Amino acid sequence: MYTKKALAINHVKEHATIYIFMVILFLTGIIFGAIIVNSMNFVQKQDLFFYLERFFGQVSDNQHIENKEILKDSFFYHAKYLLLLFILGLSVIGLPVVWILLFLKGLVVGFSVGFIVNQLGLKGLLLASISIAPQNFLIIPIYIIAGSLSMIFSLTLMKKLFTRKLTNSVFQPFGQYITVFMLLLVFALLAALLEAFVANEAMSSLIKSLY
């Protein structure tokens, strides 16, 4: 157990630059998402808020989606996202796409939170805190780790291809690559459970009390 912990710490220290780069990339996406909200004109905001209010109305009338359905959709969404990052890490040339995907994830989070807060003020901040924050506290690190591992493995392959040393030594990091992604998939399931049975229930209760 101690050895695994030491290996993980050494890995992070060795590739700290990549992890920091991915965190900055994600945060940049959040900032751009908030900027997009502020750059929208009144009509655009009202049009978008109309659909949000319809959703609130459905929730208050008990027409919201079942928890099990949310769990299934959420998990499959995360699983597909992680699978895509996994494949891009194997392709070498897919590295820029990894950056774009992580940036877009940040953009979506920044826009979602920014728009709700912009339209509802403190109520929107409370709504975002209970409906968006719980699962994202878990899923954001998962995506950052997945994107970083994808980039690390892609650079490792690139280095071995250029040095023409693509020998059996590549199979050990590949095995570790698969193992960590499988572990991230388990944590993604936990994030989906949080979204379906904690965030969704809390959001429904708050919306019903507000509407």
Side-chain angles (χ1 to χ4, degrees):
M1 184 71 181
Y2 176 78
T3 307
K4 288 181 180 179
K5 187 179 179 181
L7 285 171
I9 292 168
N10 289 333
H11 168 80
V12 173
K13 285 180 179 178
E14 186 181 349
H15 303 288
T17 308
I18 291 174
Y19 283 100
I20 292 168
F21 170 74
M22 287 297 183
V23 170
I24 292 171
L25 191 65
F26 183 83
L27 291 174
T28 305
I30 290 177
I31 292 166
F32 267 84
I35 290 170
I36 290 170
V37 172
N38 290 325
S39 65
M40 292 171 69
N41 60 44
F42 178 76
V43 176
Q44 289 172 325
K45 287 179 180 178
Q46 286 301 107
D47 286 345
L48 191 56
F49 189 64
F50 168 75
Y51 292 104
L52 191 61
E53 282 197 309
R54 278 184 62 185
F55 170 72
F56 290 162
Q58 289 173 348
V59 171
S60 61
D61 292 335
N62 292 316
Q63 296 178 26
H64 61 289
I65 305 169
E66 291 295 322
N67 291 347
K68 289 180 181 179
E69 196 67 27
I70 292 172
L71 172 62
K72 186 180 76 173
D73 291 345
S74 178
F75 176 68
F76 278 114
Y77 171 79
H78 297 318
K80 285 186 285 186
Y81 217 94
L82 287 172
L83 180 62
L84 184 57
L85 288 171
F86 176 82
I87 293 169
L88 289 168
L90 300 176
S91 67
V92 179
I93 58 171
L95 193 54
V97 184
V98 172
W99 300 337
I100 292 167
L101 286 174
L102 205 62
F103 174 82
L104 287 175
K105 182 63 182 173
L107 187 98
V108 169
V109 172
F111 181 84
S112 302
V113 175
F115 183 78
I116 292 171
V117 173
N118 182 273
Q119 293 296 301
L120 298 173
L122 287 174
K123 289 179 182 177
L125 183 61
L126 180 60
L127 183 62
S129 298
I130 64 172
S131 64
I132 298 174
Q135 66 272 20
N136 275 294
F137 273 126
L138 190 55
I139 205 65
I140 287 170
I142 289 171
Y143 281 147
I144 289 172
I145 292 168
S148 300
L149 289 173
S150 184
M151 184 176 174
I152 291 164
F153 190 76
S154 187
L155 291 173
T156 302
L157 282 179
M158 203 179 297
K159 183 180 176 182
K160 290 186 179 294
L161 284 169
F162 279 118
T163 55
R164 296 181 180 179
K165 290 182 179 179
L166 197 64
T167 59
N168 291 338
S169 60
V170 79
F171 290 108
Q172 186 180 357
F174 179 64
Q176 294 169 345
Y177 185 62
I178 293 174
T179 304
V180 176
F181 263 88
M182 292 298 290
L183 192 61
L184 291 176
L185 203 60
V186 173
F187 281 108
L189 177 59
L190 291 175
L193 283 165
L194 267 175
E195 184 177 353
F197 295 99
V198 177
N200 184 50
E201 288 299 323
M203 179 192 68
S204 298
S205 299
L206 180 62
I207 290 171
K208 285 174 185 177
S209 67
L210 292 176
Y211 287 80

